[in-house]
Amino acid sequence: MANMKYALLDTDFISKMHLIRKDDQNKLIDKIMTMSNYLFYCHKQISVELMRHNIAGAPEWFESKIVSKSICMYDDEMILDELSEIYGDLAISAYADMLKIACDAYKDGYFDDKFVLVSQMDCLRISREDFLKQLQDDCNEIGEGQNLGELMTYVLLQTLNLKFGEQIYVFCSDDKNARNGVVSIGSARCISVLSSFVKLKKEINFTKEEAMPYIDSYMNTCLGKDQRTFKVQDTSKEKRMCRIPCEQVFEEIFDGKIDELMTGNLKYIL
């Protein structure tokens, strides 16, 4: 689709953006959803993890967006359908390869250690049903707290890259390693909670006055009491990351002095 942008949402981003709000009817995540020409996607594992996060209203908000088709949710069978259209009988092998790439971006050796059944199966001989079952068995064995949502988001990212042949945006965790993992997989651009203020300024003309209640909420709700600075890349040849007072960063975002990097970090504009 011409001029469309394709975006993935992960658990951490949805959870934090749901907490950042002007009031109960005005949450920052809803500002993201108003950006025109964006199609939003997620993996079904995000729904599972949102329930575990137990943030009041977040699972209900998410479900309403799935029902209204504002967010398209893929499960592993749907991903396999997409890969079958591209690779035919090699779709299972393609899925396994993409899962290994996702695991390698997260942690060396993770694929063989955690996806034991998938890593050992004969992808050219196993049936579709058995593959999906063994994949789910591996996921069940991995359990909670193992970044499974991120890994499945990485797999879906690769699938959407193949399907659309376009740059994918990933609205994702503030965790630096998670965002670097996304960038290492391909040409995706990460948008963190902080850099979302830059994105909203560009996409919906979000003004400083409009943003202030959300900035206050972010500072009070999502940041630790000891955090007083954000890192911003300077304009030197060395591209140093400098610690800048939080209030100054927001001032400079809306003064047009700060832009976003592919990693979701911020940078000063020359």
Side-chain angles (χ1 to χ4, degrees), residues 117-132:
L117 297 175
V118 173
S119 64
Q120 294 179 356
M121 68 177 58
D122 185 341
C123 293
L124 297 178
R125 295 181 180 274
I126 193 169
S127 70
R128 175 191 180 93
E129 292 74 17
D130 286 344
F131 169 75
L132 290 170

Side-chain angles (χ1 to χ4, degrees), residues 5 24 28 42 84 113 136 149 160 200 245 269:
K5 299 175 182 177
D24 288 344
L28 195 55
C42 72
S84 294
D113 290 344
Q136 187 59 56
L160 296 182
L200 288 169
I269 300 171

Side-chain angles (χ1 to χ4, degrees), residues 140-155:
N140 292 341
E141 188 67 26
I142 290 169
E144 299 180 32
Q146 298 292 320
N147 298 87
L148 191 55
E150 286 179 9
L151 293 173
M152 292 308 177
T153 296
Y154 294 173
V155 172

Side-chain angles (χ1 to χ4, degrees), residues 65-116:
K65 297 303 177 186
I66 299 299
V67 171
S68 68
K69 301 189 186 305
S70 300
I71 300 174
C72 177
M73 184 169 69
Y74 269 74
D75 61 20
D76 295 309
E77 186 170 10
M78 293 166 66
I79 291 175
L80 206 55
D81 287 340
E82 297 284 6
L83 296 178
S84 294
E85 291 188 12
I86 299 168
Y87 294 108
D89 293 341
L90 298 177
I92 292 173
S93 292
Y95 188 112
D97 287 345
M98 293 196 310
L99 181 57
K100 185 178 188 306
I101 290 170
C103 290
D104 289 347
Y106 173 63
K107 183 180 178 181
D108 288 342
Y110 195 89
F111 180 67
D112 291 331
D113 290 344
K114 299 296 185 181
F115 288 93
V116 178

Side-chain angles (χ1 to χ4, degrees), residues 186-202:
S187 60
R189 292 190 70 95
C190 289
I191 296 148
S192 65
V193 172
L194 179 57
S195 68
S196 70
F197 286 91
V198 179
K199 181 60 67 178
L200 288 169
K201 178 177 178 288
K202 292 178 181 178

Side-chain angles (χ1 to χ4, degrees), residues 22 25 34 50 62 74 83 85 91 100 115 117 134 137 146 172 182-183 199 201 244 253 270:
K22 178 180 179 180
Q25 283 71 49
T34 66
L50 278 174
F62 180 76
Y74 269 74
L83 296 178
E85 291 188 12
K100 185 178 188 306
F115 288 93
L117 297 175
Q134 292 193 30
D137 287 345
Q146 298 292 320
C172 62
V182 169
V183 173
K199 181 60 67 178
K201 178 177 178 288
I244 309 297
I253 284 174
L270 285 169

Side-chain angles (χ1 to χ4, degrees), residues 43-67:
H43 190 278
K44 188 176 181 180
Q45 183 65 26
I46 303 304
S47 176
V48 175
E49 294 186 355
L50 278 174
M51 292 293 292
R52 291 174 181 162
H53 277 212
N54 197 30
I55 293 175
E60 292 80 8
W61 176 90
F62 180 76
E63 182 60 29
S64 72
K65 297 303 177 186
I66 299 299
V67 171

